[in-house]
Each structure stands twice: as structure tokens, then as C-alpha cells.
Amino acid sequence: MSRSLLYKTILIVVVVLGCIYGVIEVPRSRAELLANLQRRIHLGLDLKGGSHLVLQVQVQDAVRASADSAVEQLKTDLNRRNIPYTTIDRNDPQTIEQADSIALRVQGVPAERSSDFKGLISDRLQDWIFAPVDSTTWKLTMKPSALHQLELDTVQQSLRTIENRINGLGLTEPTIQPYGGSDDFRILVQLPGVDDPARVKEMMQTTALLEYKAVKGGPFPSTDAALPNYGGVLPENTEILKSAERGSNAAESWYVVDRVPVITGRDLRNARPAQDPNTRGWDTEFSLSVDAGQKFGRYTEANVGNRLGIVLDHRVVSAPVIKGRIEDHGEIEGMRNQQEASDLALVLNAGSLPAGIQVLEERTVGPSLGADSIREGIISGLAGLVAVVIFMLVYYKMAGVNAVTALLLNVVILLAALAYFGATLTLPGIAGVILTVGMAVDSNVLIFERIREELRGGKTVVAAVDAGFSKAFLTIIDTHVTTIVSSAFLFLFGTATVRGFAVTLSIGLVANVFTAVFVSRVIFDYHLSQQHQVKELSI
């Protein structure tokens, strides 16, 4: 054996061993081999079973929140500049389609101060367009570009928050990505291995907006019972919120609280579940950032004896009395069990959603259906492989053994690449593997037929093999490159399902160039090197 052929053989052996290790590592038993294979080859939703959800972000919630922030800022700036006004309110878009109609209405601005008012809007509310309704009333609408950017940012923040929450559950290989067009505001969530999505869906839909607000009154049995205490109209900068009932016998109650919170969930540093040593009940403890802790400490010190409402998703969880200065920590009491405390801690750590989430589509793929897909995919793949092996051995004789060896190595390299890259194998991915088998056979057929032509032309066996590989090489590269380019477009513009097909096909094609051209040639060279005088070739 020549030195060059020895180096090529060593390279092939190293690649094969590296691929086998990538797929099964070093198993000590058959059970460990199967466990390693399942751990290294990640199965998709259609093979492993799980949940498929299509969520829609209710961007109108974020638009309303942005408008509320603009109202509060406008009130502060008007008072600071001594510009009189009577009322500032906004409309209330309830659907995504109505979000574009968001508008503020400022009444009672004196006509002689209109230039000061316009200057303030231009300086402080640059995302809003103002227009006069009459001499003392102004209408503000959000600029289309600012509105569109707000909606896109809301979807992206929702996507990141959902991803953080799902990753916190420890689920493997979830798919979380935008779905549909940019104006659909939809998110695709696929959770392999999750056949009961109720808990996950609840966590994704929970806004988890935590606020600490000063309690001005309550509890009241109803809103009608609260209003007479304030002359029928709530005090300025307050709102009335419902309590979060816990338990079947909990009575409905309402609290009047400040609109502006003392601290919010954005001020949290971390949260965790904890068990009360006295009651053995579960709470969710949290700690605050340094700045928020100092702010909270000053507030609680100045309001000892007053009540402070813990508000979660616009519901008052509890309204304890402040007994002393509290700085860098707090707790939410009354969780029903450890899981509820843990889930609340997880969503608080992941951050609050900027808008509500609506489930548009929910589909569950059972593990049995996934197992059926794997079984049918493997049967079809093996059937095709056996048919190809028989054909190659019958039609090309001993050269067919060469082709079969390269073909099997191609499949091993493909599986190893999926394992090393952490890719997910789906049912369309299995279709890509089967198509790769066909492409690999096609490459060997091209090479073998070229060799036959050269032999019929009167060349020696060594010269025919050399010419066959050389002349078929450009054709193989041309067909593979064009197919890989097509796969790249499928990956860039296709859905998640189509991408699985594109990935496996592309990896298989790259592996095929190595096996059909390099490995197959080395096998031929090794066979020819064992003979002193080669007069014929079994092909």
C-alpha cells in the first residue's frame, strides 16, 4: 500500500470513528447505547409527540399602555409648564384592527397658550401628531411609523419572554419563532414531548405584571359600594381593582389604589418559591435591585401603618399593612401549592409580557402517533435501502459492494452531523435522508457507467477507473451544488417543517461528495493495489 493510500485510509477511519462517537458516544451496555442514541438524536414534534400552539400577541394592549404613559407624561409636563387644561383622555381600542385608531384628547387648553402646547408636544411627545379639534381641544394620534415599531417590538419582547419561560421549564428542543406575516403578530410554539399543554399554555398567557400600589380604600364588596365613599367619582390618579380570589369560598372584593405603582416587576432581581415554616403554606419570595430597594425602603418607612397592595396582572393578591421599613425583598403569600409558587417565580424571573396572548390554534400530537411515524419512516427507508443494495449488487457485481459501503457511511455521517449540530430530526427530515440515499446511488451510477465506457473504449482498468472518477466529478459537483442552492432557499423561506427537509438533504449531499468521490475511490485504489497485474474489473 502506498503512503498516499495509507493516509487516505487513516482519514476515513478517523471520520468513521468520529461519526460513530457523535451518534452513540461510548456505550457500556445495550441500554446505554439506546439511551445515548435517543439523547444525541433530537426528534421533532411529529416524531416524538408534543404540542403545537399558534399564539397571537394582542398588540392593542401595548398600544393602550403606551397611550396611558403618554397621558401621564403629558399631565406632568402641562403642570410643570403651568399650561391649564380640564381633561385628558384616550379612546379604548379592543382589537388588533382597532389599535391603529389610538388617540388622545386634551380639552380646556386656553387658545392663547396653544403655541406653548404645540411646542411641548413637539419636544416631549415626538411619536405623536397633534391637530386642533376646536380652539381649546386637541387630538393626538400616534405616528404610523412609531405605531408599527411599537407593535413589532411588542411581538419580539413577547417572543423572548415566552422563550425564557419555556426554557425555565427545562423542555428540550422547543421551537419558538414568529409565524405568518409581519402584520399577523403571531408566534409559533412547538413543544416536543409535551402532550398536556395546559400548564405551559397558562404560563405563556400569564402577563405576570407585578406592581406594588398604595391602597386608598377597601376592601369593598363591589364597585358600586366603593364609589359613594368618594362622592361617586374616584380621586384623581387612582383606580379600582378586583382582588384575586383564592379558593372556592373566597368572596369577591375591590380596592381603590394609586394608578402609579411604587415599584414594579421590572425592579425585581430574582424570585423563588418558599415555604412558610409556621403555616406550611407556599409563598413566592423576591428580591429587588439596589435602586428599587432604596426607593421601596423610603416609601415603606414613610407609610408605616398604611396598607400596600400587591397587584399581579391587575388583580390585588393581598393588601398587607406596612409594619416597618422594607428594602430589598418582599413576598407574595397565599399560593395554593408548591407548583403555583414555582410557576409564579418562573414567570416573574422571565419578565412580564408587554401584551396579552391569545391561543389561535392548539394541536396535540400523541407519542403513539409519533412512534408510528418513526416506525413507518424507518420501514420505508429500510425498504428503499434494501432495494438499492440488491440492485447495485446484481447490476454492478463486486463494484456494488463499494457503492453500498459508501452509501452506509453516508447515512452514518448524516446522523452524526445532526447529533453534533443539535439539529432536530422530523418526518420531512427522514424524507430528506431517503432522498439523500437516492442521490448517493445516482453519484455511484454516474461513476460506474463512466468507468464502463472507458473500459469499452479499450483503456486499461487503472486508466478507466481514473478517467471515470475524473470525468464524473464535475457532473456530481454540478448536480449537488444546484440541489444545495435549492435547499438553501427552502430553509430561508420555508416553514419549520420544510426546513427539516432542507437541512437533512443539504448535510446528506455534502456527505455524499465525500463518500461517493473520495471513499469510493480509495476502495477502488485499495482493491487494485492488491493485484500485481489488473486485467479485469467486476463492474
Side-chain angles (χ1 to χ4, degrees), residues 333-350:
E333 301 176 339
M335 299 295 106
R336 285 187 287 263
N337 48 51
Q338 181 180 3
Q339 180 175 308
E340 184 178 10
S342 299
D343 289 349
L344 179 56
L346 192 155
V347 296
L348 290 177
N349 285 325

Side-chain angles (χ1 to χ4, degrees), residues 106 166 192 297 333 393:
V106 185
I166 291 178
E333 301 176 339
L393 293 177

Side-chain angles (χ1 to χ4, degrees), residues 296-373:
F296 196 46
R298 290 193 297 269
Y299 177 85
T300 52
E301 185 177 23
N303 288 271
V304 173
N306 296 329
R307 282 185 298 170
L308 186 65
I310 303 173
V311 181
L312 182 65
D313 290 342
H314 305 292
R315 293 288 187 94
V316 180
V317 177
S318 62
V321 175
I322 302 173
K323 298 180 180 179
R325 180 183 174 92
I326 306 172
E327 287 194 2
D328 61 349
H329 70 280
E331 60 184 24
I332 302 174
E333 301 176 339
M335 299 295 106
R336 285 187 287 263
N337 48 51
Q338 181 180 3
Q339 180 175 308
E340 184 178 10
S342 299
D343 289 349
L344 179 56
L346 192 155
V347 296
L348 290 177
N349 285 325
S352 61
L353 287 169
I357 298 293
Q358 179 182 356
V359 178
L360 296 182
E361 179 184 344
E362 179 179 349
R363 193 165 68 243
T364 300
V365 180
S368 59
L369 181 59
D372 290 341
S373 300

Side-chain angles (χ1 to χ4, degrees), residues 55 146 192 210 377:
L55 313 175
L210 176 65

Side-chain angles (χ1 to χ4, degrees), residues 375-388 430 433-434 437:
R375 183 171 58 254
E376 297 298 331
I378 292 177
I379 291 174
S380 61
L382 289 177
L385 182 62
V386 169
V388 167
I430 293 179
V433 174
I434 297 174
V437 172

Side-chain angles (χ1 to χ4, degrees), residues 186-312:
R186 290 184 291 173
I187 297 175
L188 171 66
V189 178
Q190 292 183 332
L191 308 172
V194 178
D195 55 3
D196 182 12
R199 178 190 174 202
V200 178
K201 185 172 66 174
E202 181 180 357
M203 291 185 62
M204 286 190 296
Q205 290 182 289
T206 301
T207 307
L209 177 59
L210 176 65
E211 299 171 304
Y212 269 59
K213 296 186 174 185
V215 175
K216 298 300 183 181
F220 301 105
S222 65
T223 55
D224 294 335
L227 292 178
N229 293 274
Y230 305 97
V233 179
L234 289 177
E236 188 176 2
N237 294 324
T238 64
E239 59 183 345
I240 185 167
L241 298 178
K242 188 179 180 181
S243 65
E245 301 90 357
R246 298 191 179 277
S248 57
N249 298 323
E252 184 178 281
S253 58
W254 301 79
Y255 291 87
V256 176
V257 299
D258 274 349
R259 184 181 295 273
V260 179
V262 180
I263 56 172
T264 70
R266 299 181 183 89
D267 299 315
L268 293 186
R269 190 168 56 199
N270 58 61
R272 64 182 183 87
Q275 191 171 29
D276 191 313
N278 298 321
T279 65
R280 309 302 296 172
W282 285 93
D283 306 328
T284 300
E285 296 182 348
F286 60 86
S287 58
L288 302 172
S289 63
V290 176
D291 293 339
Q294 294 175 351
K295 178 182 177 182
F296 196 46
R298 290 193 297 269
Y299 177 85
T300 52
E301 185 177 23
N303 288 271
V304 173
N306 296 329
R307 282 185 298 170
L308 186 65
I310 303 173
V311 181
L312 182 65

